Amino acid sequence: MVQDFYRNSISTAQILFFHKPDKDVILNFKLDANTKGVTPGMKDVKVVDAVPAIKIHENGDVTFRYYAPEAKKVEVAGCGGYFSDEKNEMTRGEDGWWSVTVSGIKPGFHNHKYWVDGNLMVNPDAPVGYGWFYPINVFDLPGEEDDFWMMKDVPHGDVRMELYKSSVTGRTKCAWVYCPPGYDQSDKRYPVLYIQHGVGENEMGWVWQGHLNTIADNMIAEGKASEMIIVMNCGYAFEEGKNYTFFPGDFDKELTEDCIPHIDAHYRTLTDRRNRAMAGLSLGSGQAFAIALKHRDLFANLGVFSGGFPIVRNEYDYTDYFNDPETFNAEFDVMLFTGGDDEGYNERTAPVVAEKQALGLNVKGYHHPGFHVWDVWRFSAREFLGLIFK
């Protein structure tokens, strides 16, 4: 599985990483008197074989490398979960590269950090993603079930950047829109999934870290998901001068009054509630739950990934609604609650799902090994895409 992952183009599909892990790009720069700047001499641009900055071994060990020839100390650590946040001290080689091999990291998606002489740094030679509010090094340690999000030889859809004006903030917002394979060659209309990122992320997360477009391509090709449009929004609707707690502004209004009408006007969508879904992870799951329950005239499908079963919040109380199976089952086709085994799903969410199922509500639950991380959300997305718009 490790070698299959390295051979797959998805291994370099990160927002700030542009070449294969076992290659390096050598640029010899020279001064340009005409531009008073620095330009590369094109004959001196070389792609050479290199030892990757992060190498996953067949036995599951991971070797980390960091180039810092003048440093006195370099360390690496995970962010908790399946890669411990305990720092691992690296050893300096004669070539200026520091390295350490770490055992016991479980398969999954791993944010991790480097310290050079006590200073938190990004490793420029390793894949870099965006999350937790800042660029951070990432890697996947693939498991046996992970091929569903890898690039395959199937028809591919595309992801477009769609701009619309927010009436909440007064600013122009960007939604990333996945269109299924053959969209431009067809006159069909498609159902739409609106899906949200988590806190400290933005609309790019579901593509770069979630690989949702690749998951959709593969599932559509295998007949496991319906053809659909997927809209990935930036969920921050901050107004100047206001302070916010959990929900970052009135994204409800922005989505329902600005984004959805814009998407329906510019794409061939099916606009009835049965053909519209809302989902999200973490913070985005809270937004998805609140919006879909408030606007049951717009949505008949809901996915809550790593968000518990938030029946009551300061902003609402749906206790009576979730005690009324007749009304609930008439209004929702799919409502799925997911989470990681190690983030409390089995202790907190699963009992509520079971309780509501016993009442006769058509709610579903799904869990996967893992913490509050992207591999759990990829599996959650696969589960949800396989249920909606059937």
Side-chain angles (χ1 to χ4, degrees), residues 177-190:
V177 181
Y178 167 84
C179 292
Y183 176 85
D184 289 323
Q185 292 74 45
S186 169
D187 59 1
K188 292 173 53 178
R189 292 189 171 272
Y190 298 87

Side-chain angles (χ1 to χ4, degrees), residues 324-341:
D324 182 355
E326 183 177 354
T327 301
F328 177 89
N329 292 338
E331 293 187 335
F332 276 95
D333 296 334
V334 174
M335 189 176 288
L336 174 70
F337 297 87
T338 79
D341 291 341

Side-chain angles (χ1 to χ4, degrees), residues 29-239:
F29 290 96
K30 63 181 180 180
L31 292 175
D32 190 323
N34 295 321
T35 63
K36 297 181 180 180
V38 179
T39 59
M42 295 310 294
K43 292 183 180 180
D44 297 323
V45 177
K46 300 177 181 178
V47 179
V48 299
D49 291 334
V51 179
I54 301 175
K55 180 176 176 59
I56 302 171
H57 301 276
E58 287 295 336
N59 67 354
D61 290 353
V62 182
T63 298
F64 300 92
R65 303 174 72 245
Y66 194 106
Y67 185 69
E70 305 299 325
K72 301 296 187 292
K73 185 177 184 180
V74 181
E75 301 163 295
V76 63
C79 296
Y82 284 166
F83 183 10
S84 169
D85 56 5
E86 181 179 348
K87 292 180 180 179
N88 298 273
E89 191 165 337
M90 304 172 81
T91 301
R92 187 188 186 281
E94 294 183 0
D95 56 359
W97 283 90
W98 297 71
S99 66
V100 66
T101 298
V102 180
S103 302
I105 303 174
K106 291 185 179 181
F109 176 91
H110 300 288
N111 293 311
H112 65 290
K113 302 176 182 180
Y114 296 83
W115 289 264
V116 179
D117 292 335
N119 299 299
L120 183 62
M121 305 290 286
V122 170
N123 188 341
D125 295 289
V128 181
Y130 183 80
W132 293 22
F133 300 99
Y134 52 80
I136 188 170
N137 287 112
V138 301
F139 72 96
D140 276 284
L141 202 167
E144 293 302 321
E145 300 180 66
D146 281 334
D147 68 323
F148 74 93
W149 54 263
M150 294 188 186
M151 196 72 67
K152 297 182 180 180
D153 187 14
V154 299
H156 298 292
D158 58 3
V159 179
R160 311 174 185 199
M161 299 173 68
E162 190 68 33
L163 301 176
Y164 67 93
K165 186 68 174 290
S166 169
S167 62
V168 176
T169 67
R171 295 187 290 272
T172 298
K173 297 287 292 288
C174 180
W176 284 25
V177 181
Y178 167 84
C179 292
Y183 176 85
D184 289 323
Q185 292 74 45
S186 169
D187 59 1
K188 292 173 53 178
R189 292 189 171 272
Y190 298 87
V192 186
L193 164 61
Y194 292 84
I195 192 165
Q196 292 305 116
H197 58 83
V199 69
E201 301 162 346
N202 61 19
E203 69 275 10
M204 298 186 292
W206 270 111
V207 171
W208 291 115
Q209 278 100 302
H211 305 308
L212 183 57
N213 53 319
T214 309
I215 294 172
D217 287 343
N218 294 339
M219 293 187 69
I220 291 171
E222 295 166 4
K224 296 179 179 178
S226 300
E227 293 179 319
M228 68 183 77
I229 293 169
I230 303 175
V231 180
M232 296 156 276
N233 267 291
C234 178
Y236 309 121
F238 297 116
E239 296 179 62

